[in-house]
């Protein structure tokens, strides 16, 4: 099964996740997809505990034989909501709660749900590639949300590479970029040396690769942007998640130039950039994000 292997690893509740000091319930209010993912994962686990485990496994576990060779395509989705045990569920839920809520607020809910499920499906393909290419790894099947979670980790590291993450053990603080590198490096080593859960680690890498490509390839990023825009709003040829500022020597500076039409708006943008430098991108309100996005997307 795909698991969050380091069971002694905790997750951050740093200021970057707090958005003005709001409570944890407020975080889920602003991330409805994350809330429902947590509810569904827990609900399925409870139903398994009360006697439906065999039925769910028979219908939902992903394996190359069943999902690909027998065309049971639904397994690319269903396996993401099954977990091997409570520890597996707990650590995946913690990751979805902290990192998923952050990414959902960046992508918006419809885009985030699509992104999450596609990364999970890519995790299944990563597992499939390993067991198909190497007969030493039997096709025993895979369950868990880790493919989608590693896609979330990858895109979080791209959006906010300097975001700080505190580990419970060892008690250190890492940047989001370094955490992603460590987790992916660990997965690669497990696969190379044939360690325990190599199939699950291949799924992790598949999910992370999908997240990376969906953020870096313009066509995929535009696809997410189109999902994120309000229904009925006109599509843009460019844009999406574009706060057009640059980081120079640990300081965000404005690159909007002639796109700002008046002094009042220019002053507002400069004030917002000062706030980013002091408190981080996640300290911005929705209105401040909209002002930056609108200013950045406006044609000169």
């Amino acid at each position: 099964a795909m698991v969050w292997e380091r069971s002694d690893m905790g997750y951050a509740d740093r200021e970057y996740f707090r958005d003005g000091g709001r409570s944890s319930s407020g975080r889920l209010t602003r991330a409805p997809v994350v809330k429902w993912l947590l509810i569904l994962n827990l609900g399925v686990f409870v139903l398994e505990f009360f006697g439906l485990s065999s039925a769910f496994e028979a219908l939902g576990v992903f394996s190359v034989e069943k999902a690909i060779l027998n065309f049971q395509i639904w397994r690319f989705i269903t396996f993401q909501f099954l977990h091997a045990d409570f520890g597996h569920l707990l650590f995946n839920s913690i990751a979805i709660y902290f990192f998923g809520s952050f990414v959902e607020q960046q992508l918006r809910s419809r885009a985030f749900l699509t992104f999450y499920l596609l990364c999970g499906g890519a995790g299944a393909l990563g597992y499939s590639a390993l067991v198909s290419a190497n007969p030493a790894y039997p096709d025993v099947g895979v369950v868990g949300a880790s493919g989608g979670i590693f896609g979330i980790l990858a895109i979080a590291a791209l959006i906010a590479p300097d975001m700080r993450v505190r580990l419970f053990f060892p008690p250190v603080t890492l940047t989001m970029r370094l955490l992603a590198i460590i987790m992916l490096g660990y997965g690669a080593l497990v696969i190379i040396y044939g360690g325990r859960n190599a199939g699950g680690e291949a799924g992790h890498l598949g999910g992370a690769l999908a997240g990376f490509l969906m953020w870096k390839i313009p066509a995929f990023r535009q696809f997410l942007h189109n999902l994120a825009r309000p229904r009925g709003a006109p599509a843009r040829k460019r844009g999406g998640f574009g706060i057009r500022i640059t980081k120079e020597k640990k300081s965000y500076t404005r690159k909007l130039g002639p796109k700002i039409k008046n002094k009042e708006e220019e002053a507002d943008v400069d004030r917002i950039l000062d706030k980013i430098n002091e408190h981080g991108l996640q300290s911005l309100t929705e209105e401040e994000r909209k002002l930056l996005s609108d200013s950045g997307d406006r044609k000169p």
Side-chain angles (χ1 to χ4, degrees), residues 3-297:
V3 299
W4 196 268
E5 285 287 338
R6 289 296 300 274
S7 61
D8 56 349
M9 180 172 289
Y11 301 89
D13 192 8
R14 305 292 290 183
E15 61 269 27
Y16 294 92
F17 290 105
R18 290 179 184 150
D19 276 2
R22 296 180 185 178
S23 66
S24 297
S25 60
R27 179 184 300 144
L28 289 182
T29 299
R30 289 172 286 123
V33 171
V34 165
K35 179 177 72 175
W36 281 106
L37 288 176
L38 294 174
I39 291 172
L40 284 172
N41 286 336
L42 178 60
V44 169
F45 185 81
V46 169
L47 290 175
E48 287 186 279
F49 183 79
F50 283 104
L52 293 179
S53 177
S54 297
F56 282 170
E57 289 179 5
L59 293 173
V61 171
F62 180 92
S63 68
V64 175
E65 178 185 1
K66 294 178 180 177
I68 298 177
L69 299 182
N70 290 324
F71 301 104
Q72 297 178 9
I73 305 301
W74 67 83
R75 293 178 184 270
F76 278 92
I77 301 296
T78 55
F79 88 98
Q80 301 181 46
F81 297 93
L82 302 175
H83 290 85
D85 51 45
F86 181 72
H88 188 198
L89 171 67
L90 175 63
F91 287 103
N92 279 351
S93 297
I94 291 172
I96 292 171
Y97 175 69
F98 283 117
F99 297 126
S101 58
F102 165 71
V103 173
E104 182 175 350
Q105 289 172 53
Q106 306 305 309
L107 301 186
R108 303 297 182 261
S109 295
R110 279 192 299 164
F112 172 75
L113 177 59
T114 302
F115 173 85
Y116 174 85
L117 293 176
L118 287 176
C119 287
L125 291 177
Y127 163 83
S128 301
L130 180 68
V131 300
S132 299
N134 192 335
Y137 299 110
D139 183 22
V140 296
V142 65
V143 295
S146 299
I149 290 169
F150 271 72
I152 289 171
L153 290 176
I155 199 172
L158 292 171
I159 293 172
D162 296 321
M163 180 169 61
R164 290 172 292 169
V165 179
R166 179 192 299 160
L167 306 185
F168 291 145
F169 184 82
V172 297
T173 298
L174 305 175
T175 64
M176 189 68 240
R177 180 196 290 116
L178 182 56
L179 176 63
I181 291 172
I182 290 173
M183 297 301 295
L184 295 175
Y186 171 79
L189 288 175
V190 170
I191 294 171
I192 291 171
Y193 291 103
R196 176 180 172 272
N197 194 38
E201 295 297 341
H204 296 171
L205 296 182
L209 177 61
F212 177 85
L213 294 177
M214 278 193 276
W215 186 254
K216 285 295 187 178
I217 296 178
F220 292 159
R221 190 164 172 176
Q222 185 64 43
F223 169 69
L224 293 176
H225 170 61
N226 291 339
L227 287 174
R229 75 176 189 269
R231 294 182 183 275
R236 297 173 180 170
K237 292 183 180 179
R238 295 182 181 181
F241 323 112
I243 299 176
R244 298 187 180 181
I245 55 180
T246 185
K247 193 175 185 185
E248 298 175 354
K249 296 180 180 179
K250 299 185 179 180
S251 177
Y252 288 91
T253 58
R254 177 163 48 87
K255 292 293 183 183
L256 302 177
K259 297 180 182 181
I260 298 179
K261 290 187 173 181
N262 56 66
K263 294 292 184 180
E264 182 179 353
E265 183 178 346
E266 183 176 357
D268 285 340
V269 169
D270 288 339
R271 175 186 57 79
I272 293 170
L273 293 178
D274 288 340
K275 184 177 181 181
I276 294 173
N277 286 323
E278 184 176 355
H279 300 294
L281 282 169
Q282 303 322 303
S283 65
L284 300 186
T285 65
E286 289 297 323
E287 292 77 12
E288 290 168 337
R289 292 175 188 277
K290 186 176 186 301
L291 174 60
L292 279 179
S293 181
D294 291 345
S295 299
D297 289 335

